[in-house]
Amino acid sequence: MIAATGKSGIVPPIDARRLATLLVAACVVLLSVLYAHALTFPPLTGRVVDEAGILDPATKQALEQKLADFEAKTTGQFVVVTLKSLQGTSIEDYGYQLGRYWQIGQRDKNSGVLLIVAPNEHKVRIEVGYGLEGNLTDAVSRLIIENAILPRFRVNDYAGGITRGVDDIIQAATVNPEEWRSRAQKRPDHQSSSVDLFMVVLLLIVFIMIVRSVSRQSRYQRDGRRGPWSGPIIFPPPGDWGSGSSSSSGSSWSDSGGGFSGGGGSFGGGGASGSW
């Protein structure tokens, strides 16, 4: 606890843990702005977006049907996307920004999930919306990646790995989530706490750097000089800010059989990643 004094006497102590939480939250928001402005996202052309071109038509059609059935039974939204490039960022950062941009999942339930494959960087991720994190925990997502997806990707069987991954994600989310959670709990996970701590420290460092840069820019402007940021600050489209309108550009698809679009859902970084 941190206490401070003022003219009127003793000010109530400040909860250091709450202060740190607020600082991290502010840093996440600032990073979201920077990443969303720097990254570009493929249009949401359907429940399977094969930007990398690694799926044959028959596999893509079969996956589309499975994902449509999943949405009809659960009202959740599940999209598979393959990417040409992660554009120099991590698949974790790209994943939740993409989920927010497309707004996958219902607005009030945040029931979206993405299976993201970046074959050029040899990365795969299951990105889980807030509403499905109870069933598709980080440990369950990691189990699916390691057991179902990566063994097939290592022998260049992208269609088989994605299909098996989709099947297991649907089972874990709907058919028997308790069994999947039990299986995941039997696996040791020693990395979570250290990774979480590293991310907090990294976010704090970046936040401090951003604050210092803004402060320097303000001093330059007061002195009549051009600072390191001489142009205006450009904010991302409204769709990047969580549960905005689902009518943002690139977030709808229609064909003769009906239409598909993001439902206004949001993502917070839940899920798991893997590489091969």
Side-chain angles (χ1 to χ4, degrees):
M1 307 293 281
I2 303 172
T5 59
K7 294 181 180 179
S8 59
I10 297 178
V11 177
I14 301 173
D15 190 330
R17 182 176 298 177
R18 183 180 180 185
L19 180 62
T21 301
L22 292 175
L23 185 61
V24 171
C27 185
V28 169
V29 171
L30 288 173
L31 287 175
S32 297
V33 175
L34 296 177
Y35 276 121
H37 178 55
L39 299 175
T40 59
F41 306 108
L44 183 58
T45 54
R47 292 181 176 86
V48 178
V49 180
D50 186 22
E51 184 187 49
I54 59 176
L55 297 174
D56 59 89
T59 299
K60 184 176 179 180
Q61 183 177 3
L63 289 171
E64 289 268 11
Q65 187 60 55
K66 289 182 180 182
L67 301 178
D69 292 342
F70 172 81
E71 184 171 348
K73 293 177 181 178
T74 67
T75 71
Q77 290 188 319
F78 186 177
V79 173
V80 173
V81 55
T82 71
L83 301 170
K84 291 181 180 178
S85 171
L86 292 173
Q87 302 173 38
T89 189
S90 68
I91 196 170
E92 292 81 10
D93 290 328
Y94 194 99
Y96 90 88
Q97 290 291 351
L98 177 63
R100 289 185 169 192
Y101 182 76
W102 280 352
Q103 302 175 49
I104 301 302
Q106 289 190 16
R107 180 188 301 273
D108 297 332
K109 297 181 179 180
N110 296 312
S111 52
V113 57
L114 294 171
L115 176 56
I116 306 167
V117 180
N120 290 329
E121 289 91 348
H122 298 277
K123 298 290 184 181
V124 61
R125 178 165 179 80
I126 299 173
E127 191 72 37
V128 183
Y130 294 113
L132 291 178
E133 289 180 353
N135 291 348
L136 286 171
T137 64
D138 293 358
V140 168
S141 299
R142 186 176 297 109
L143 184 68
I144 293 173
I145 288 174
E146 292 180 355
N147 289 356
I149 299 176
L150 292 183
R152 292 164 176 82
F153 280 9
R154 291 187 179 111
V155 294
N156 295 321
D157 183 11
Y158 292 116
I162 291 173
T163 299
R164 178 62 186 274
V166 166
D167 290 341
D168 283 2
I169 290 170
I170 291 174
Q171 286 187 4
T174 59
V175 179
N176 197 348
E178 286 295 336
E179 178 183 347
W180 278 95
R181 286 195 292 266
S182 176
R183 290 168 60 183
Q185 288 173 356
K186 295 177 182 179
R187 297 171 54 87
D189 187 5
H190 304 297
Q191 297 180 344
S192 297
S193 59
S194 60
V195 171
D196 291 343
L197 178 59
F198 172 77
M199 288 301 297
V200 170
V201 173
L202 179 61
L203 289 172
L204 289 174
I205 292 173
V206 173
F207 178 76
I208 292 172
M209 293 174 62
I210 293 173
V211 171
R212 292 181 62 185
S213 296
V214 172
S215 177
R216 286 198 301 268
Q217 175 70 12
S218 299
R219 290 199 301 271
Y220 282 127
Q221 291 176 348
R222 286 197 300 268
D223 296 339
R225 295 178 291 165
R226 291 173 63 86
W229 294 353
S230 57
I233 297 176
I234 301 175
F235 291 92
D240 295 345
W241 290 88
S243 57
S245 170
S246 61
S247 61
S248 60
S249 63
S251 62
S252 63
W253 166 66
S254 61
D255 63 3
S256 58
F260 175 76
S261 65
S266 188
F267 291 75
S273 306
S275 59
W276 71 97

